[in-house]
Amino acid sequence: MNDRTVSVEAEPYPFELALDACALLVIDMQRDFLEPGGFGEMLGNDVSHLRRTIEPNRALLRAWRARALPVIHTREGHRPDLSDLSPAKKIRGRSKTQIGDVGPMGRILVRGEPGHDIIPELYPLPGEPVVDKPGKGAFFATDLPAILQHRGIRQIVVTGVTTEVCVHTTVREANDRGYDCLVPADCVGSYFPEFHEMALRMIKAQGGLFGWVSHSEQILAVIT
Ligand code: TIU
């Protein structure tokens, strides 16, 4: 432990947060997943389960920015010509409305469309990288590894949606690449509360299988 390390209360044991080497990675807080009238709600999901994460994320972002610590955002989506959309992903779900079709907020999960963008409450500031990803994980087919490497990042606080899909995939990818991941439970959310609960338990099981789980207040307590 040095001056630039703070200890965050977490499970299964405290997370030693290195202020010089820890990024906040906000996963897919996009209008189509979170806003009433968006693609997520159109599929029959209750977006309130995701919207409860907005305020805790806002508070964490505010504190992170105030300390001038690195923030990175991701968005799930595809090129307008869908050339980076795998046939397997396109047909998955057998939904009438597919990725690339016109939805309530423009073409679904297509870059540049209103629904693909990040919600205004958590909008990236200039200088905060936005990583566009075609998959669930933030490491697959993106330049995130280069961004982390160039900034000397070794630890990632992962927030966003959804807990068991893009957040979990990213935490697993990061863990295998040697990054320590801390997930504040109130800053991640799922359309399915039971999946959310189990996904968090999986992360911290067996002595911290994929990382650590805490609460935004436990992080704010040591960085503000
Ligand atoms: N960002 C993310 O998690 N994308 C998803 O498709 N999530 C679902 O829960 N479907």
Side-chain angles (χ1 to χ4, degrees):
M1 213 155 39
N2 59 38
D3 288 342
R4 296 283 293 166
T5 300
V6 290
S7 190
V8 181
E9 254 187 70
E11 292 180 282
Y13 53 89
F15 182 86
E16 303 304 329
L17 194 157
L19 293 165
D20 294 322
C22 187
L24 174 61
L25 182 63
V26 186
I27 303 286
D28 300 359
M29 294 295 278
Q30 292 163 255
R31 297 183 62 200
D32 251 337
F33 292 131
L34 284 124
E35 290 197 348
F39 178 52
E41 191 176 76
M42 194 189 94
L43 292 177
N45 295 302
D46 176 359
V47 294
S48 69
H49 293 305
L50 269 51
R51 293 192 67 78
R52 66 154 182 78
T53 70
I54 296 174
E55 276 312 312
N57 267 289
R58 185 144 67 173
L60 193 55
L61 263 176
R62 194 181 304 123
W64 214 261
R65 287 166 172 162
R67 300 269 322 228
L69 302 175
V71 177
I72 303 168
H73 306 258
T74 70
R75 298 182 296 200
E76 180 178 356
H78 298 274
R79 296 168 181 261
D81 66 5
L82 305 184
S83 56
D84 60 351
L85 173 62
S86 74
K89 185 176 177 185
K90 181 167 171 56
I91 60 167
R92 197 76 47 76
R94 298 186 174 176
S95 169
K96 251 193 0 238
T97 316
Q98 294 184 331
I99 294 170
D101 291 347
V102 176
M105 287 194 271
R107 293 181 66 204
I108 292 161
L109 292 189
V110 169
R111 296 175 192 161
E113 299 290 333
H116 172 264
D117 209 357
I118 293 172
I119 57 170
E121 295 92 329
L122 304 179
Y123 211 74
L125 293 181
E128 293 177 353
V130 178
V131 172
D132 279 319
K133 61 187 187 59
K136 303 305 183 196
F139 286 80
F140 171 69
T142 72
D143 54 6
L144 179 64
I147 294 171
L148 297 175
Q149 187 185 339
H150 299 331
R151 294 178 181 213
I153 302 297
R154 292 181 284 107
Q155 304 178 333
I156 312 174
V157 173
V158 186
T159 72
V161 298
T162 61
T163 316
E164 79 281 13
V165 185
C166 293
V167 170
H168 227 260
T169 306
T170 298
V171 168
R172 288 169 183 243
E173 287 180 325
N175 178 63
D176 277 350
R177 286 162 177 78
Y179 294 95
D180 284 334
C181 292
L182 173 63
V183 179
D186 55 326
C187 294
V188 296
S190 167
Y191 298 123
F192 305 96
E194 68 275 27
F195 290 175
H196 169 82
E197 202 52 47
M198 285 299 159
L200 292 175
R201 284 177 62 181
M202 285 178 205
I203 290 169
K204 65 189 179 190
Q206 299 183 49
L209 204 49
F210 302 122
W212 288 255
V213 176
S214 67
H215 191 277
S216 62
E217 280 175 9
Q218 291 165 329
I219 303 176
L220 293 174
V222 294
I223 66 164
T224 49

